[in-house]
């Protein structure tokens, strides 16, 4: 794919670097292109998979300062706090928290003092599991060989006792991080949340509870007694960036750091990225992505697709790569699936579309669809598609398996298969578009689909 | 081919082997490899691969993993009836059986992640680990958080792990309502007709030439392509019918090059195969036996669905007939059909043909027990007492699934039923008791 055309640049580049290397007598190391590409892939992949924290956060300085100050007060002065970080998915909530924690850890006093407990609503699906996890992460005395003894009630009592005994000055502050906070609110009686917030309100051991969630209405999920104990401090991460900032972000995400071993390569790469960002067609594509979503994760996905097209033979990102990646991101998945249907299945879909048009979205069954199809065949007096009912039923069931049609009610066992009521999950435009793209679609079928009301 | 051969970090010889094993899927495999990157590099946390049945999703993954010797766990979600099995399998193939035994009796996701992390710190990943989940659509029916957690497993276990989901269903139908970490979507397009021809032509019968076999495949695709694009099904049909195709050759009637005569010979045979073998009416073994029996026509053997005749007691037959009439006739016409002196009913009023669709299109309607019994007494000639045996016959018809009870099981007074048999079936039943059912059906007046 595209590789041979780019080969000359590669050889030129290799020779170039070789000459310079001999000139400067290898003052700073020049690596072969393969090695450079490997490094680039390594660095950028870690960045896009969010395995490495950025050195500096952009656009959320105020929130960063707020959170850092809050957690420092807990860690150093022993204040109990609770805070919620709220923002849509992919807005950088976890990154913000991780950055704050990293910078907090740099202070020596904090490093010795602060205990951290990380919980995730996806993993700790009920309070019992969460409690076990807390005891484990705090390395409490009754934990022997990773086995927790005692019942839930005992465990909770023990933990609360341990927390209550402490006071502001003497005991170690504990930081609770609750990822997917809204899922914790679905636990029975919200016992865990109640107890955590209760400890944070009363003068017991200093704890900070940091909830991370993507639900804006998370406070409505809390019970009254829990809600009243929460400090109502919220940090919103609502993306307020405009398109120029977005472009800048693309640039910073793609560019190599100064610490890159081969300086020359890094410079050329960064220059290449700069010209890429200034390209008109690239800008258009990015504008389209920006319009559909501002979150960084979808941007990372796009850039990851671009990066995967970088190889030794083609050591830069070209606008064409970005265009191709964007095309992959925006591909209509349902249309892709419709493309692979057989003619018979497509005919059934068209018949369903006509039924939908005539009866205004009323559900249908196989008999009606087949009847509609037979009417078409009768009109055309074309015996090519004259299939028997069982063959049609097999096609119908395949459509159901692909979830292109959905049964109206779940009680499938009681009704015969041909009389089960179904609904089409495709809309008009999707069918027409699929029909245009369908390879070697017979003309009469196309016409039948175009004609209003069958 | 060239695209596959240029991935640094993998052995070139092996890549060549991979390319040979994946006909018509080089592009997809190449793309997948470039997304996966070099073995020690991070790959995207989750990749979702979708495409039709038998479009080579599992095959490509299997060949890549096996040939390149990547560390992987392949899990079929059909087999994993409980999530414990899933966790066990993943841990087993990454860390050996000691790790799997560390899981408690009924493990939660939290336990799995804990054990995984523990093991991972002991033997950190030098290469990306892959978890391949086949039939991923079944993950939606399990624990709600399982899918979301798997999609961000890389972050949760802090290891270089990538989850690859394979499914027939588009990603839109997977997304949980609070959102999740979006996977990379990768589409495996369906095979085109020429690609199918190319793949199917590969398994040539050793005693015939390649051209001959591909001519056969061409004919086969001509018959079946408009109905079925499933490679597996087509391959099965090709293997079954090939001996029939070679028959005139063995008899010495025609030469290999005489495609027209061969086509004339095989085409009706293939059409018959569509109605029988393709629908599994006749098993493959029976089909092969039928081909050997010269005198007996293919399809003369009764298939599965021909065995619809059920022997029923006399009253049960009438009960079933009554149920069919009650289901498919509107209640207002009962007077006209079943009362001897029904008074004046105007014919125009009775035959309201403004009802556009017939009941045989809409399906059976539910009816109360009283109506069933009333019709039963009027169609059966002799006087029948409403004994316990009549009622028990009704309930045994329900258990035979000839009737379906619509109302709740616990409702003793006025239960409602639906008739669940086809027109052919009821006609056959009615013939055995000399009852002309068509005369009593509103649709056929």
């Amino acid at each position: 794919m595209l590789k041979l055309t780019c080969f000359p640049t590669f050889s030129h580049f290799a020779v170039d670097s070789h000459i310079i290397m001999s000139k400067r007598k290898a003052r700073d190391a020049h690596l072969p292109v393969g090695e450079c590409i490997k490094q680039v892939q390594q660095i950028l992949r870690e960045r896009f998979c969010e395995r490495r924290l950025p050195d500096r956060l952009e656009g959320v300085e105020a929130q960063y300062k707020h959170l850092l100050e809050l957690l420092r007060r807990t860690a150093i002065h022993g204040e109990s706090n609770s805070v919620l970080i709220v923002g849509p998915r992919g807005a950088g909530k976890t990154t913000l928290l991780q950055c704050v924690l990293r910078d907090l850890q740099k202070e020596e006093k904090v490093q010795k003092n602060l205990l951290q407990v990380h919980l995730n609503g996806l993993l700790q699906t009920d309070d019992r599991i969460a409690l076990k996890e807390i005891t484990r992460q705090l390395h409490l005395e009754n934990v022997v060989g990773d086995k927790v003894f005692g019942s839930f009630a005992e465990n909770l009592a023990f933990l609360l006792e341990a927390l209550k005994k402490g006071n502001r000055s003497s005991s170690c502050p504990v930081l609770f991080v609750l990822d997917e906070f809204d899922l914790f609110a679905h636990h029975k009686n919200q016992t865990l949340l109640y107890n955590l917030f209760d400890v944070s309100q009363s003068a017991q051991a200093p704890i900070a509870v940091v909830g991370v969630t993507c639900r804006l209405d998370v406070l409505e999920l809390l019970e009254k007694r829990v809600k009243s104990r929460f400090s109502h401090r919220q940090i919103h991460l609502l993306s307020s960036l405009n398109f120029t900032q977005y472009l800048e972000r693309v640039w910073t995400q793609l560019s190599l750091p100064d610490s890159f071993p081969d300086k020359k390569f890094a410079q050329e790469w960064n220059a290449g990225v700069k010209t890429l960002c200034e390209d008109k067609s690239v800008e258009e594509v990015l504008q389209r992505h920006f319009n559909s979503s501002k979150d960084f994760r979808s941007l990372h996905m796009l850039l990851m697709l671009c990066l995967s097209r970088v190889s030794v033979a083609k050591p830069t990102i070209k606008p064409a790569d970005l265009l191709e990646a964007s095309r992959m991101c925006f591909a209509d998945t349902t249309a892709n699936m419709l493309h692979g249907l057989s003619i018979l299945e497509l005919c059934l879909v068209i018949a369903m579309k006509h039924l939908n048009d005539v009866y205004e979205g009323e559900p249908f069954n196989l008999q009606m669809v087949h009847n509609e199809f037979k009417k078409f065949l009768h009109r055309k007096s074309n015996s090519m598609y004259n299939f028997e009912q069982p063959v049609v039923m097999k096609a119908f069931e395949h459509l159901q398996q692909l979830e292109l049609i959905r049964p109206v009610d779940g009680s499938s066992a009681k009704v015969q298969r041909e009389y089960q009521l179904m609904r089409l999950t495709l809309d008009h435009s999707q069918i027409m578009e699929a029909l245009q793209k369908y390879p070697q679609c017979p003309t009469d079928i196309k016409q039948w689909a175009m004609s209003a009301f069958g | 081919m060239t695209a596959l051969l240029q991935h640094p970090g993998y052995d070139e010889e092996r890549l060549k082997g991979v390319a040979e094993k994946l006909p018509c899927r080089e592009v997809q495999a190449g793309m997948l490899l470039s997304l996966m990157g070099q073995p020690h590099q991070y790959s995207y946390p989750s990749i979702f691969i979708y495409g039709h049945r038998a479009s080579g999703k599992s095959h490509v993954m299997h060949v890549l993993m096996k040939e390149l010797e990547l560390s992987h766990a392949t899990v079929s979600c059909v087999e994993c009836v409980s999530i414990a099995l899933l966790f066990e399998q993943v841990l087993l193939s990454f860390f050996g059986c000691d790790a799997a035994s560390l899981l408690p009796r009924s493990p939660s996701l939290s336990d799995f992640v804990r054990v995984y992390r523990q093991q991972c710190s002991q033997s950190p990943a030098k290469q990306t680990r892959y978890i391949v989940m086949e039939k991923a659509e079944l993950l939606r029916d399990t624990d709600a958080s399982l899918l979301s957690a798997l999609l961000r497993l890389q972050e949760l276990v802090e290891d270089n792990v990538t989850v690859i989901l394979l499914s027939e269903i588009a990603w839109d139908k997977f997304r949980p309502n609070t959102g999740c970490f979006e996977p990379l979507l990768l589409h495996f397009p369906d095979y085109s007709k020429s690609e199918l021809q190319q793949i199917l032509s590969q398994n040539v019968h050793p005693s015939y030439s390649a051209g001959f076999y591909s001519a056969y495949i061409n004919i086969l695709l001509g018959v079946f392509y408009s109905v079925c694009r499933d490679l597996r099904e087509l391959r099965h049909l090709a293997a079954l019918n090939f001996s029939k195709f070679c028959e005139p050759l063995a008899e010495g009637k025609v030469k290999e090059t005489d495609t027209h005569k061969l086509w004339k010979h095989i085409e009706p045979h293939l059409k018959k195969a569509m109605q029988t073998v393709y629908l599994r009416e006749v098993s493959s073994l029976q089909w092969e036996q039928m081909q050997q029996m010269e005198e007996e026509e293919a399809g003369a053997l009764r298939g599965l669905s021909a065995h619809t005749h059920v022997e029923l007691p006399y009253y049960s037959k009438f009960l079933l007939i009554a149920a069919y009439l009650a289901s498919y006739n509107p209640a207002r016409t009962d007077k006209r059909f079943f009362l001897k002196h029904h008074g004046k009913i105007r014919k125009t009023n009775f035959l309201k043909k403004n009802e556009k669709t017939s009941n045989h299109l809409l399906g059976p309607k539910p009816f109360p027990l009283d109506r069933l019994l009333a019709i039963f007494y009027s169609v059966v000639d002799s006087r029948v007492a409403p004994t316990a045996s009549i009622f028990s016959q009704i309930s045994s018809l329900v258990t035979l699934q000839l009737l379906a009870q619509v109302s709740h099981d616990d409702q003793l007074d006025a239960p409602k039923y639906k008739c669940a048999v086809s027109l052919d079936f009821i006609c056959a039943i009615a013939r055995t008791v000399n009852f002309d059912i068509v005369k009593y059906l509103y649709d056929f007046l």
Side-chain angles (χ1 to χ4, degrees):
Chain A
M1 314 187 283
L2 284 175
K3 266 157 199 159
L4 281 178
T5 52
C6 300
F7 197 69
T9 43
F10 153 57
S11 60
H12 165 74
F13 190 82
V15 169
D16 208 29
S17 71
H18 186 72
I19 292 168
I20 293 165
M21 190 147 150
S22 57
K23 248 185 208 167
R24 288 198 196 158
K25 307 229 161 144
R27 200 171 47 200
D28 40 68
H30 280 284
L31 306 167
V33 179
E35 193 59 32
C36 284
I37 291 294
K38 201 171 148 188
Q39 291 285 338
V40 168
Q41 291 266 1
Q42 178 100 24
I43 291 171
L44 293 188
R45 271 172 189 273
E46 274 179 21
R47 204 179 274 169
F48 297 149
C49 296
E50 295 167 29
R51 306 303 308 161
R52 183 168 291 174
L53 293 175
D55 299 329
R56 199 169 49 81
L57 285 166
E58 288 157 41
V60 288
E61 284 84 5
Q63 286 95 329
Y64 172 81
K65 235 173 116 184
H66 184 178
L67 191 60
L68 185 64
E69 191 50 39
L70 204 72
L71 293 187
R72 183 185 283 137
R73 280 214 300 273
T74 302
I76 294 173
H77 305 297
E79 268 183 34
S80 285
N81 278 314
S82 52
V83 66
L84 269 180
I85 307 178
V86 186
R89 291 213 179 255
K93 304 179 288 292
T94 312
T95 314
L96 171 73
L97 183 64
Q98 301 272 340
C99 280
V100 167
L101 287 180
R102 178 191 65 190
D103 296 347
L104 203 64
Q105 289 287 336
K106 281 178 190 159
E107 293 178 40
E108 204 180 320
K109 198 174 172 198
V110 177
Q111 209 172 10
K112 275 188 292 184
N113 212 5
L114 186 71
L115 291 174
Q116 292 186 20
V117 178
H118 289 266
L119 299 177
N120 192 320
L122 289 173
L123 302 181
Q124 281 77 42
T125 42
D126 65 46
D127 281 347
R128 187 184 298 268
I129 301 172
L131 207 62
K132 256 187 196 172
E133 191 65 24
I134 294 171
T135 1
R136 208 178 57 79
Q137 288 193 20
L138 288 176
H139 302 292
L140 286 172
E141 290 86 352
N142 67 342
V143 183
V144 182
D146 237 348
K147 281 222 162 56
V148 180
F149 299 112
S151 67
F152 175 73
E154 266 176 52
N155 215 331
L156 183 68
F158 172 78
L159 205 67
L160 288 178
E161 194 61 33
L163 289 172
K164 265 181 201 154
K165 258 190 219 155
N167 56 43
R168 245 181 98 162
S169 51
S170 67
S171 56
C172 210
V174 187
L175 169 67
F176 286 91
V177 176
L178 306 181
D179 208 345
E180 307 278 353
F181 182 81
D182 49 313
L183 294 180
F184 283 100
H186 293 306
H187 292 185
K188 190 170 174 261
N189 290 341
Q190 303 184 343
T191 320
L192 182 76
L193 291 185
Y194 174 77
N195 283 308
L196 283 181
F197 284 139
D198 194 47
V199 171
S200 83
Q201 279 297 319
S202 48
Q204 297 167 358
I207 67 166
V209 182
V210 180
V212 180
T213 179
C214 61
R215 282 187 69 159
L216 288 176
D217 64 339
V218 65
L219 284 185
E220 309 300 312
L221 299 175
L222 297 180
E223 276 176 29
K224 206 171 148 197
R225 60 192 180 121
V226 180
K227 204 166 158 186
S228 71
R229 280 166 174 77
F230 171 58
S231 68
H232 287 265
R233 207 180 271 124
Q234 290 194 30
I235 296 179
H236 285 277
L237 280 185
L238 299 172
S239 171
S240 62
L241 85 174
N242 55 25
F243 183 59
T244 31
Q245 284 166 325
Y246 191 76
L247 264 181
E248 221 162 83
R249 173 87 185 192
V250 174
W251 186 68
T252 51
Q253 282 292 308
L254 274 178
S255 55
L256 293 175
D258 295 333
S259 56
F260 195 74
D262 188 337
K263 292 277 182 301
K264 176 105 178 17
F265 184 88
Q267 270 172 19
E268 285 194 19
W269 174 273
N270 287 348
V273 169
K274 187 134 195 145
T275 47
L276 179 81
C277 288
E278 282 158 3
D279 191 279
K280 265 276 164 290
S281 59
V282 168
E283 210 163 293
E284 251 169 53
V285 167
L286 289 175
Q287 179 81 55
R288 207 165 140 219
H289 274 267
F290 178 71
N291 288 346
S292 73
S293 152
K294 279 182 181 178
D295 79 45
F296 297 133
R297 206 167 271 159
S298 68
L299 177 68
H300 286 168
M301 195 194 284
L302 179 78
L303 297 180
M304 184 76 170
L305 285 171
C306 291
L307 180 70
S308 74
R309 301 169 73 85
V310 171
S311 64
V312 178
K314 197 172 74 62
T316 50
I317 297 181
K318 292 268 167 8
D321 295 332
L322 199 80
L323 258 58
E324 182 62 25
S326 158
R327 202 186 52 77
M328 266 184 78
C329 278
F330 277 119
D332 185 354
T333 51
T334 331
N336 280 338
M337 291 310 281
L338 281 175
H339 186 275
L341 293 181
S342 68
I343 292 270
L344 174 60
E345 283 152 3
L346 194 71
C347 284
L348 292 185
V349 169
I350 295 171
M352 289 168 200
K353 180 204 148 235
H354 283 316
L355 283 175
N356 259 350
D357 287 348
V358 176
Y359 299 111
E360 287 159 351
E362 288 291 304
F364 49 80
N365 60 31
L366 173 64
Q367 290 286 351
M368 293 152 87
V369 175
H370 196 193
N371 191 46
E372 192 75 18
F373 183 42
K374 273 194 280 196
K375 270 197 262 171
F376 161 68
L377 292 179
H378 188 69
R379 208 163 49 232
K380 285 284 155 215
S381 67
N382 183 352
S383 65
M384 221 184 114
Y385 308 118
N386 231 336
F387 300 111
E388 310 240 325
Q389 168 105 359
V391 178
V392 174
M393 182 171 316
K394 195 162 172 174
F396 195 75
E397 278 171 358
H398 188 221
L399 289 178
Q400 193 184 343
Q401 260 172 22
L402 293 174
E403 297 190 10
L404 297 178
I405 50 177
R406 200 184 61 224
V408 171
D409 55 343
S411 60
S412 56
K414 287 193 171 175
V415 200
Q416 292 144 282
R417 280 184 302 173
E418 58 264 43
Y419 289 124
Q420 195 174 12
L421 288 177
M422 297 280 186
R423 259 183 225 285
L424 192 62
T425 58
L426 303 165
D427 66 12
H428 192 269
S429 60
Q430 275 176 320
I431 298 172
M432 293 326 257
E433 207 178 298
L435 217 63
Q436 296 300 332
K437 284 185 192 153
Y438 195 79
Q440 294 152 18
C441 182
T443 326
D444 47 353
I445 288 179
K446 226 178 225 174
Q447 278 169 352
W448 177 42
M450 301 286 189
S451 65
F453 305 120
Chain B
M1 289 289 225
T2 46
L4 257 181
L5 295 180
Q6 293 185 355
H7 288 281
Y10 298 103
D11 188 28
E12 275 197 31
E13 280 301 309
R14 291 201 171 147
L15 283 175
K16 237 178 238 171
V18 168
E20 273 162 23
K21 284 193 181 169
L22 300 175
C24 309
R25 278 285 170 260
E26 289 95 355
V27 180
Q28 280 75 27
M31 186 140 56
L32 209 60
L33 268 181
S34 60
L35 276 178
M36 278 152 49
Q38 295 184 22
H40 64 278
Q41 290 168 349
Y42 271 100
S43 173
Y44 206 71
S46 50
I47 301 176
F48 181 83
I49 299 177
Y50 66 105
H52 278 275
R53 194 188 303 160
S55 57
K57 302 181 291 293
S58 307
H59 180 62
V60 167
M61 288 318 304
H62 182 76
V63 168
L64 281 181
M65 295 294 154
K66 275 272 160 349
E67 289 286 311
L68 303 176
E69 286 179 0
L70 305 171
S71 89
H72 70 282
T74 306
V75 184
S76 164
C77 297
V78 184
E79 287 171 25
C80 296
V81 284
S82 73
I83 48 175
L85 288 170
L86 190 150
F87 298 152
E88 216 165 84
Q89 215 163 338
V90 169
L91 289 176
L92 193 71
S93 36
F94 284 162
F95 308 107
C97 40
D98 296 345
S101 60
L102 283 178
L103 283 173
R105 184 177 286 270
S106 55
S108 63
L109 254 171
S110 175
D111 293 320
F112 169 67
V113 168
R114 180 170 52 82
V115 174
Y116 191 107
R117 278 185 169 200
Q118 206 179 5
Q119 293 293 319
C120 183
S121 60
Q122 285 167 17
S123 57
K126 292 189 199 74
Q127 294 191 344
T128 314
R129 295 184 168 120
Y130 296 96
I131 301 177
V132 182
M133 319 222 54
E134 290 171 0
K135 295 246 178 221
E137 58 265 22
L138 292 166
L139 283 178
R140 295 176 301 175
D141 307 334
T142 57
D143 200 358
S145 60
L146 181 64
L147 182 64
S148 317
L150 278 176
L151 288 171
R152 55 194 320 152
L153 195 66
Q154 192 176 83
E155 180 190 322
L156 291 176
V157 300
E158 290 171 352
D159 181 32
N160 188 0
V161 63
T162 291
V163 178
I164 299 178
L165 304 169
L166 311 178
S167 177
E168 277 185 63
I169 296 169
W171 169 248
D172 303 343
K173 306 216 162 71
F174 277 75
R175 199 171 284 126
N177 49 11
T178 46
C180 60
F181 190 101
E182 293 284 308
L184 264 180
L185 304 184
L186 208 59
H187 180 228
F188 271 41
D190 47 301
Y191 294 114
S192 69
K193 200 170 179 179
S194 57
E195 282 172 338
L196 279 176
Q197 168 110 32
Q198 188 191 334
I199 296 169
L200 284 172
S201 303
Q202 273 181 350
N203 32 8
V204 184
H205 199 276
S207 50
Y208 297 95
S209 73
F212 179 69
Y213 193 77
S214 85
Y216 164 65
I217 293 297
N218 199 10
I219 293 169
L220 185 92
L221 282 181
V223 174
F224 281 104
Y225 187 65
S226 58
V227 178
C228 171
R229 296 188 172 187
D230 190 337
L231 179 65
R232 263 180 292 176
E233 187 97 41
L234 287 170
R235 187 177 275 157
H236 174 66
L237 287 167
L240 269 185
N241 294 307
F242 187 60
S243 63
K244 185 78 180 174
F245 184 67
C246 301
E247 223 169 56
L249 219 64
E251 289 166 11
K253 281 185 200 157
V254 288
K255 277 181 283 182
E256 268 197 21
T257 47
D258 196 354
T259 18
H260 185 68
K261 268 196 185 149
L262 284 169
W263 176 75
K264 268 206 151 166
H265 175 75
I266 193 72
E267 215 239 349
H269 187 74
L270 287 180
K271 285 234 163 108
K272 209 158 280 164
M274 170 138 58
Q275 291 156 22
T276 49
V277 197
Y278 175 61
L279 299 167
R280 307 286 185 275
E281 277 274 286
V282 171
S283 73
S284 313
L285 186 69
Q286 280 176 316
W287 183 251
E288 277 173 346
Q289 284 168 351
M290 266 153 49
Q291 282 176 338
Q292 278 157 16
M293 284 185 279
E294 281 295 321
E295 67 277 19
E296 199 179 352
E297 272 287 299
L301 198 78
R302 287 195 307 163
L304 275 182
S305 70
H307 293 283
T308 49
H309 182 67
V310 180
E311 203 53 61
L312 286 175
Y314 186 72
Y315 286 149
S316 285
K317 281 179 184 171
F318 271 106
L319 279 171
L320 202 58
I321 288 169
Y324 192 86
L325 290 173
S327 255
Y328 287 92
N329 281 349
R332 62 182 171 78
T333 61
D334 284 353
K335 227 175 170 186
R336 156 77 169 71
F337 279 128
F338 304 113
L339 235 56
K340 257 191 190 134
H341 308 290
H342 48 69
K344 269 189 187 166
I345 296 172
R346 262 185 290 153
K347 210 164 189 182
T348 47
N349 193 25
F350 171 65
L351 287 173
K352 258 192 219 153
K353 277 299 174 190
N354 54 358
E355 289 159 286
K356 280 174 217 145
T357 43
S358 77
N359 285 317
H360 279 87
L361 218 53
L362 294 171
K365 300 258 184 310
F367 53 85
L369 179 65
D370 299 345
R371 191 168 162 228
L372 172 71
L373 289 177
I375 296 178
F376 171 66
Y377 289 133
S378 91
V379 291
V380 92
D381 312 328
S382 52
R383 286 188 63 85
V384 187
T387 53
S389 116
I390 294 290
F391 289 102
S392 76
Q393 282 186 36
I394 293 176
S395 61
S396 69
L397 283 175
V398 173
T399 42
L400 287 172
Q401 300 197 349
L402 298 170
L403 291 187
Q405 189 164 4
V406 184
S407 56
H408 276 291
D409 291 336
D410 54 346
Q411 198 176 346
L412 285 177
D413 55 330
K416 287 195 162 187
Y417 298 97
K418 257 184 188 180
C419 186
V421 297
S422 65
L423 181 63
D424 295 336
F425 184 89
I426 205 73
C427 283
I429 294 270
R431 220 173 296 125
T432 59
V433 291
N434 288 324
F435 183 80
D436 186 9
I437 192 162
V438 180
K439 215 170 77 187
Y440 286 91
L441 277 172
Y442 180 67
D443 282 345
F444 299 107
L445 273 184

